[in-house]
Amino acid sequence: MPRLSSTIILLLCALTAMAQPKTDRFLEELLLKHASPALRHVLQHPDSFHCQLIYTQINRDAKNRPVFRHYYYHLDANQYFNPASTVKMPLAFLALEKLNELNMQGLDKYTPMFTDSAFSGQSRVYRDTSTENGLPSIAQYIKKVFLVSDNDAYNRLYEFIGQQTIHEKLWAKGYPRMRIVRRFVSMNEEENRHTNPVRFERDGKLIYDQPAAVSTLTYDFSKPVFIGKAHYDRNEQLVNTPMDFTRHNNAPLEDLQQQLQSVLFPASVPASKRFNLAADDYRFLYRYMAALPFESRHPAYDTTEFFDSYTKFFRFKAGKGKIPPYIRVFNKTGWSYGFLTDVAYFADFKNKVEFMISGNIYVNRDGVLNDNKYEYEEIGYPFFKEVGDIIYQHELQRNRPHEPDLSLFEEATAGLGQPPAAITRGDTTKKRIAIVFTGHEFADGGRHIADVLKKRKAPASFFLTGTFYETEAFAPLIRRLKKDGHYLGPHSGRHLLYCDWAKRDSLLVTRRQFEDDLALNYRAMEKHGLPAPHYFLPPYEWYNDSIVQWTSGLGLQLVNFSPGTRSTADYTYPEMGKSYRDSETILQSILHFENQRPAGLNGFILLLHIGTDPRRIDKFYFQLDKLIRYLQRNQYELVTIPRLLSEDL
């Protein structure tokens, strides 16, 4: 009998413990050790401020694979907070996932999307003045969601996915507590269940027509949630009772952070929890999760209102703080009814520091909701700043088993805020050179090139067309280049000539043809497990200002060879007459340039071909070993394109 009583007592204790908020002593002590009196006051009254925190340390193994260790402060999924705009994040992921699952020719995130109306409260959208072409699209809505937390953009994603699909997808991924049942516009519950008809058109041609939909799901509203002591209703009348949040959106902090982790580090979560995204989707999301309002041209924002840290709560929003150029914050924030939330991943490219941090706080001293009198500036933003600073300083001092390679995120955000321009040379004050190989239909030099690069421990960059990536005979070579750590990028899908040889400003392709062809290149790369690139080298190494602009519009940086040598003539053969250059002539032109110019080959992008027409017998790639030995003897560091063009490496 005593044994049974002890068992019951232990069971009750265990159940009680499970119901308690999760707090790790390490995180609590770290925060309290460095906390100001104001922060200490908040931390010691978590029930009043509804504050919750998750701090995630990330350690990399020898292969750069991340391992996560989560620490919690007062984390409690049963303590309701209004998630506000943080629910826009999973909808951005689900919208891209839906496009991929529809898998229709001509349908992608850039395809113009037109929203109609079919039920009470719905509105139409046929134009979007924030875009370059004046037309709305999924890509543009997602940009606005992350850049400034645009409400209308969220509403349109909600309508495209559909309320029922939102929940079926999130619940299937293991988020049964998630509830996203409201647009951010005045609508009743029934109106929110109904979503608009949507159609996608391109050049006047209908690509996909989605009819109006209605959710028939039953949601669990059994747990009543009341906040505050009074509130203003829709008619701006004061009601002296708490505000009812029972049927509002719900998103536990832990769920939001895991969703962010699943997109930033998809391999770190089970496949069942991942979103069905393409490599280009990941890069697109990384870019705009981290982008600041001033770095966007379409849409363009008034930076007086939308300052740099407008949506960056941790460390920066208090006092409208400036964000150092070597730090990127990939996050989603939300603010409403006195609740502030931020779910974030920090990457410091200069100090090689990374961590995740998520948190929320409730600041409403008078207990009245909907009166727009909240202590965001006095308590809320300073809370996020100080907590973020404490964690960041701890991360700067923390020992790591391996320095993280953050190039994936650095590359995804490279060039933000800069006017579009082609890059044809790196820093001429540094003795670095990038050897670049392009390829389309020939790969006869591939094995020899790979052998030489490995023997000389020289990384290189390979820009290959979709045709090259799709050629089965080239697959072993591509696998080897990837395994050896070389950079593999795009060179167009089908090696199109973009503009006339004699009249460069005369385009031979439309923007849609350019984008569709490049998308083909992406898909071919993705089949080899290659990440979406940031750098693009145009076919024939021939382009004009329009191609530069279009490339930039896709978040890519156009690069090309450095002029001055005859290296690009290594594809020529004798039957081409005066255009032909033998290998000795090509080699001497490189050595001559290095000897005669003050900066030598510093920052040079030296372009060669991975294979050439069989009619060229004198293959220049057989001179590669001699060339690399010369460069290394003269103290040049051979690097990939991302390293050549990275400012802080």
Side-chain angles (χ1 to χ4, degrees):
M1 190 70 174
R3 183 179 299 171
L4 180 60
S5 299
S6 299
T7 303
I8 292 173
I9 291 170
L10 288 171
L11 180 59
L12 289 173
C13 289
L15 291 172
T16 302
M18 289 174 61
Q20 296 299 311
K22 288 193 286 187
T23 295
D24 287 291
R25 180 176 296 180
F26 163 74
L27 179 56
E28 184 175 31
E29 291 180 350
L30 175 64
L31 294 172
L32 290 173
K33 178 180 178 182
H34 301 282
S36 67
L39 176 58
R40 185 177 292 270
H41 176 70
V42 171
L43 295 174
Q44 291 176 340
H45 297 85
D47 293 327
S48 297
F49 291 100
H50 295 215
C51 63
Q52 303 181 62
L53 290 166
I54 306 172
Y55 160 44
T56 301
Q57 290 182 353
I58 305 174
N59 290 307
R60 302 278 183 156
D61 65 14
K63 295 184 178 180
N64 202 47
R65 292 174 298 199
V67 178
F68 299 84
R69 173 70 185 273
H70 306 292
Y71 295 98
Y72 307 104
Y73 177 77
H74 215 263
L75 185 73
D76 185 359
N78 294 314
Q79 178 177 271
Y80 181 82
F81 68 92
N82 187 268
S85 293
T86 58
V87 298
K88 298 172 184 176
M89 180 179 71
L91 262 60
F93 304 160
L94 288 172
L96 294 173
E97 178 175 83
K98 181 169 181 175
L99 289 173
N100 291 331
E101 292 180 347
L102 286 170
N103 192 28
M104 300 182 68
Q105 179 97 23
L107 179 63
D108 58 37
K109 54 184 168 286
Y110 301 104
T111 307
M113 167 181 157
F114 304 99
T115 303
D116 288 306
S117 63
F119 197 78
S120 170
Q122 294 182 358
S123 59
R124 303 180 179 90
V125 179
Y126 301 148
R127 299 286 297 169
D128 185 345
T129 57
S130 74
T131 64
E132 192 172 1
N133 63 3
L135 299 175
S137 68
I138 293 294
Q140 191 71 358
Y141 288 139
I142 291 175
K143 285 182 186 180
K144 293 193 281 189
V145 156
F146 287 111
L147 283 164
V148 297
S149 202
D150 188 283
N151 283 345
D152 181 70
Y154 157 81
N155 295 338
R156 303 309 168 186
L157 297 178
Y158 178 101
E159 291 157 359
F160 167 60
I161 306 163
Q163 190 194 91
Q164 182 157 333
T165 301
I166 290 170
H167 294 89
E168 289 173 342
K169 289 290 187 179
L170 291 177
W171 294 348
K173 294 181 195 301
Y175 302 110
R177 299 172 297 188
M178 292 286 295
R179 186 172 67 237
I180 306 176
V181 292
R182 291 183 169 217
R183 296 175 177 87
F184 292 149
V185 67
S186 183
M187 280 189 174
N188 61 37
E189 190 173 323
E190 185 63 20
E191 288 170 334
N192 274 313
R193 283 183 174 272
H194 287 260
T195 46
N196 312 36
V198 174
R199 54 193 165 83
F200 292 80
E201 295 181 2
R202 178 173 288 168
D203 301 326
K205 178 183 177 183
L206 181 65
I207 304 296
Y208 172 61
D209 193 9
Q210 176 176 288
V214 59
S215 173
T216 60
L217 293 178
T218 300
Y219 304 102
D220 182 7
F221 296 127
S222 61
K223 182 182 176 182
V225 178
F226 293 92
I227 305 290
K229 64 180 183 182
H231 67 280
Y232 283 86
D233 62 17
R234 290 184 178 181
N235 299 316
E236 299 186 1
Q237 298 296 310
L238 181 63
V239 180
N240 287 307
T241 61
M243 186 168 177
D244 187 357
F245 285 88
T246 305
R247 306 175 88 85
H248 280 234
N249 293 340
N250 184 55
L253 191 66
E254 195 169 18
D255 288 1
L256 290 169
Q257 175 159 314
Q258 186 167 63
Q259 289 165 16
L260 179 61
Q261 179 182 321
S262 75
V263 168
L264 295 172
F265 306 96
S268 73
V269 301
S272 60
K273 283 187 174 289
R274 297 174 204 162
F275 293 85
N276 180 12
L277 303 177
D280 181 60
D281 296 331
Y282 284 114
R283 198 186 66 84
F284 174 81
L285 287 169
Y286 300 165
R287 190 168 184 82
Y288 289 103
M289 280 182 188
L292 306 178
F294 86 90
E295 295 175 321
S296 172
R297 287 183 293 275
H298 301 286
Y301 293 105
D302 177 356
T303 54
T304 303
E305 178 182 0
F306 300 108
F307 48 93
D308 290 4
S309 54
Y310 183 74
T311 62
K312 309 298 180 186
F313 290 179
F314 279 111
R315 299 199 66 216
F316 299 117
K317 184 157 187 177
K320 300 182 179 180
K322 300 293 286 185
I323 303 173
Y326 54 84
I327 290 178
R328 286 291 178 180
V329 185
F330 305 77
N331 75 316
K332 187 68 195 79
T333 53
W335 59 98
S336 188
Y337 301 113
F339 291 95
L340 295 171
T341 307
D342 193 357
V343 182
Y345 164 70
F346 275 71
D348 180 336
F349 305 129
K350 177 181 176 181
N351 296 298
K352 302 302 180 185
V353 164
E354 63 176 336
F355 61 93
M356 294 187 74
I357 184 167
S358 301
N360 67 271
I361 189 173
Y362 174 62
V363 285
N364 187 19
R365 188 176 292 135
D366 65 9
V368 179
L369 289 96
N370 262 351
D371 63 352
N372 292 322
K373 296 178 181 178
Y374 308 117
E375 292 72 48
Y376 291 153
E377 303 289 343
E378 303 93 318
I379 301 174
Y381 299 139
F383 165 79
F384 284 99
K385 173 176 174 50
E386 192 169 351
V387 169
D389 284 346
I390 290 171
I391 297 301
Y392 177 68
Q393 291 301 320
H394 176 73
E395 283 285 326
L396 284 176
Q397 299 166 17
R398 186 172 71 83
N399 291 325
R400 288 172 169 76
H402 301 277
E403 183 179 271
D405 177 359
L406 304 176
S407 57
L408 175 67
F409 301 110
E410 187 172 17
E411 188 177 324
T413 56
L416 279 170
Q418 299 174 7
I423 297 178
T424 58
R425 194 164 181 175
D427 189 342
T428 57
T429 67
K430 297 178 181 177
K431 288 185 75 72
R432 290 180 183 156
I433 181 171
I435 298 180
V436 167
F437 298 89
T438 60
H440 173 49
E441 56 182 333
F442 302 114
D444 46 284
R447 183 175 177 180
H448 177 78
I449 291 167
D451 287 343
V452 170
L453 294 174
K454 186 171 185 177
K455 181 173 69 172
R456 297 299 169 196
K457 297 180 180 179
S461 302
F462 293 81
F463 288 88
L464 311 171
T465 66
T467 298
F468 192 103
Y469 285 115
E470 291 169 348
T471 301
E472 189 61 33
F474 301 162
L477 173 61
I478 293 168
R479 287 194 294 270
R480 178 177 177 184
L481 295 174
K482 178 184 175 184
K483 181 181 178 181
D484 287 351
H486 301 297
Y487 181 82
L488 282 85
H491 190 46
S492 81
R494 295 291 181 257
H495 210 250
L496 305 180
L497 181 63
Y498 293 150
C499 45
D500 192 279
W501 288 110
K503 192 178 180 183
R504 192 186 283 240
D505 61 352
S506 177
L507 284 165
L508 301 178
V509 294
T510 65
R511 182 165 188 168
R512 177 48 55 189
Q513 289 171 324
F514 167 79
E515 292 179 352
D516 287 349
D517 178 69
L518 196 51
L520 188 156
N521 205 165
Y522 286 161
R523 290 193 296 272
M525 290 179 65
E526 190 173 359
K527 290 178 181 178
H528 289 278
L530 295 168
H534 172 62
Y535 298 100
F536 166 62
L537 202 153
Y540 298 101
E541 297 76 58
W542 197 245
Y543 61 94
N544 59 21
D545 288 345
S546 294
I547 299 302
V548 174
Q549 293 282 346
W550 296 351
T551 301
S552 177
L554 294 174
L556 296 171
Q557 174 61 58
L558 189 146
V559 297
N560 205 20
F561 66 88
S562 303
T565 77
R566 296 289 189 177
S567 73
T568 58
D570 70 333
Y571 76 94
T572 60
Y573 46 88
E575 288 84 349
M576 298 178 76
K578 293 182 180 180
S579 298
Y580 174 67
R581 295 293 184 277
D582 63 69
S583 293
E584 184 60 25
T585 298
I586 293 171
L587 180 62
Q588 289 305 316
S589 77
I590 299 170
L591 303 186
H592 179 76
F593 188 98
E594 199 276 332
N595 284 310
Q596 297 300 314
R597 300 300 175 97
L601 292 169
N602 291 2
F604 218 75
I605 300 174
L606 187 71
L607 188 140
L608 303 168
H609 293 84
I610 196 170
T612 60
D613 191 289
R615 284 172 287 184
R616 182 182 180 97
I617 305 301
D618 178 21
K619 305 289 189 178
F620 182 76
Y621 49 75
F622 289 126
Q623 302 294 321
L624 183 63
D625 187 64
K626 183 178 180 180
L627 172 62
I628 291 177
R629 283 189 286 114
Y630 173 85
L631 294 171
Q632 291 177 335
R633 280 199 309 271
N634 284 275
Q635 306 303 309
Y636 284 97
E637 180 187 7
L638 273 68
V639 297
T640 61
I641 283 289
R643 177 148 172 90
L644 182 77
L645 304 180
S646 177
E647 295 180 358
D648 57 287
L649 289 173

